[in-house]
Amino acid sequence: MAVQAARAGAQDQSVPPLSYTCPMHPEIVEDKTGTCPICRMDLVGIRLDSVWTCATRPLAVIEAKPGRCPIDGTPLVQVTAAVSWTCPGSDQESLTPGTCPDGSRMLKKYAPRAHGNHNPQHGGQFFMAADSWHHLEGTYLPTGVFRLHLYDDFTKPLPSADVRATKAEVIVKDPRTAAEKTFPLTRTGRYMQATIGKLPLPVSMYAHVQFKPDGPHNRFDFTFDSYSKEPPAAPRTTMATPAPSAPASTAPAAPPPAAGMPASTAALSSGVDPALVPLPIPETVPEMVAQLRTRTDQIRSFIDKGSFASIYVPAFQAKDLALALDAHKTELPAEKRKVAEPAIAKLVRSAYMLDAFGDLGNKQQITEAYAIFLAASKDIQAAFPAQP
């Protein structure tokens, strides 16, 4: 279903930077023209923006900051959407805002983006398969049932035929005996499930999934420190009388921090993990080093909790901090510069590895990438002064 253009008075006309992507492989995003490294097709221009929206009704509400969904009351989540501009009644889109024939401003439009929404839809843990197309979400219900929801690259549920073609099992380690037990997953509608019983929390398990009979086996690691809670169902609307799209200002914004309250504390009140709230790059080297240490610890915390899909946020924040420190490497003595330069390059590469492996949900790969990241972070912290 096409996403309606947002009203001009309800949104700003900020223009995200121009990126380039492959028409066949949307996971490829570059900052310059070229060819796709997978299929060699020419990359095409696209503008991408990160917005806050309802988890179960993506882009029905658009906000620039955290808040709560006016449809079901759940916290807003961040998704990546494609941005363009259009005129009312026209099917033509532009990557640059402009003026319509009647002299009015073109309307800013948000459209779903492949891989743009990796947020859980059923209160579970969300991962991407190695083929970059299949996605899944695992939930552990209070009834002792493990459920596997299957999606495509737009986070749309897989058709029943594709679910029937999928073979999967979940392997659970009993925390009391360390013994592993395998439970085959059976199809129930558009998801697969097995009754594994109510085990002491936190509980770790992993799923082996084969999406096609001749396809590869995929492993996904899950750690549940609480039971999964299904979000409330959104009101149903009919196709004959669609409800008007809510303007961007409809969703209640997160309340402003009280005097002296840090942004991370305010985020807690809106249901947003403070570790996922972006922070500006500090102006001084010691502050950059301190934030790098914090981001490194946050990644470790997410790994320990099994929150693999959240790892990319502090990983990319750490990457930005490392690149900011790179601009100050000329201020270092020669011997410390020799340590800092390769460490920064190693941290940047391992941040991208953590992002990719976090989406795949393979704990072993994540742990190995984090070991590289941690070593690089420590070398950077040792090279740059921690005090002014």
Side-chain angles (χ1 to χ4, degrees):
M1 180 175 64
V3 175
Q4 295 182 358
R7 275 67 49 208
Q11 294 178 312
D12 64 76
Q13 291 294 311
S14 59
V15 181
L18 188 63
S19 301
Y20 297 88
T21 186
C22 174
M24 296 299 295
H25 300 93
E27 67 271 20
I28 302 298
V29 179
E30 303 287 353
D31 58 2
K32 57 185 177 181
T33 58
T35 58
C36 174
I38 300 175
C39 66
R40 312 310 300 174
M41 288 184 67
D42 289 338
L43 302 181
V44 297
I46 191 172
R47 295 194 190 274
L48 302 174
D49 199 5
S50 179
V51 298
W52 293 86
T53 187
C54 299
T56 56
R57 292 287 296 276
L59 303 184
V61 173
I62 297 172
E63 278 291 333
K65 55 186 176 181
R68 289 197 174 271
C69 174
I71 299 173
D72 57 21
T74 57
L76 298 177
V77 298
Q78 277 189 302
V79 303
T80 300
V83 180
S84 61
W85 285 262
T86 189
C87 294
S90 172
D91 59 359
Q92 299 298 313
E93 297 181 12
S94 171
L95 291 178
T96 304
T99 303
C100 296
D102 63 1
S104 63
R105 284 194 310 173
M106 298 178 74
L107 302 180
K108 195 174 187 179
K109 177 180 178 180
Y110 291 91
R113 164 75 180 161
H115 307 294
N117 181 13
H118 282 181
N119 295 287
Q121 307 296 296
H122 298 276
Q125 297 177 17
F126 193 100
F127 297 124
M128 178 178 71
D131 63 8
S132 297
W133 191 84
H134 288 95
H135 293 67
L136 56 78
E137 177 183 2
T139 63
Y140 184 38
L141 306 180
T143 55
V145 170
F146 174 82
R147 188 168 288 173
L148 198 67
H149 299 266
L150 304 172
Y151 308 96
D152 64 11
D153 55 344
F154 280 86
T155 317
K156 294 180 179 179
L158 287 188
S160 297
D162 289 352
V163 179
R164 284 194 295 269
T166 301
K167 294 183 179 180
E169 59 186 17
V170 62
I171 295 88
V172 182
K173 178 180 290 188
D174 190 326
R176 296 163 296 196
T177 64
E180 289 190 343
K181 187 173 182 180
T182 300
F183 298 85
L185 298 180
T186 58
R187 184 179 67 87
T188 304
R190 288 195 174 182
Y191 54 79
M192 307 180 76
Q193 67 178 26
T195 299
I196 63 177
K198 298 185 69 171
L199 298 171
L201 299 172
V203 60
S204 297
M205 58 192 75
Y206 59 93
H208 282 153
V209 183
Q210 191 176 17
F211 296 104
K212 297 180 180 180
D214 57 347
H217 289 265
N218 298 265
R219 171 172 170 154
F220 303 93
D221 290 275
F222 300 92
T223 299
F224 297 99
D225 54 12
S226 62
Y227 293 114
S228 304
K229 183 178 180 181
E230 187 83 20
R236 291 183 178 273
T237 58
T238 65
M239 293 302 292
T241 57
S245 299
S249 57
T250 297
M261 180 188 295
S264 59
T265 303
L268 277 175
S269 64
S270 66
V272 179
D273 190 326
L276 301 182
V277 177
L279 295 177
I281 299 294
E283 295 183 359
T284 69
V285 167
E287 290 175 314
M288 294 178 195
V289 173
Q291 281 206 20
L292 177 61
R293 185 180 302 111
T294 298
R295 298 295 173 270
T296 304
D297 293 341
Q298 286 172 344
I299 296 171
R300 176 75 266 175
S301 175
F302 281 139
I303 294 174
D304 291 341
K305 292 189 297 184
S307 300
F308 303 142
S310 298
I311 289 173
Y312 79 97
V313 178
F316 280 171
Q317 291 173 352
K319 169 187 69 72
D320 292 340
L321 289 164
L323 292 175
L325 285 168
D326 188 63
H328 294 271
K329 65 186 179 184
T330 56
E331 304 166 11
L332 297 175
E335 64 275 10
K336 289 195 172 183
R337 194 183 313 156
K338 291 180 180 179
V339 174
E341 286 183 344
I344 290 171
K346 186 186 297 184
L347 187 140
V348 171
R349 287 195 299 271
S350 57
Y352 284 108
M353 291 167 60
L354 285 168
D355 171 48
F357 294 150
D359 280 341
L360 296 175
N362 188 303
K363 187 173 184 179
Q364 179 178 348
Q365 292 175 312
I366 294 168
T367 302
E368 292 172 354
Y370 179 72
I372 299 172
F373 181 97
L374 179 61
S377 178
K378 288 182 176 180
D379 284 346
I380 294 171
Q381 293 174 43
F384 286 89
Q387 299 295 330

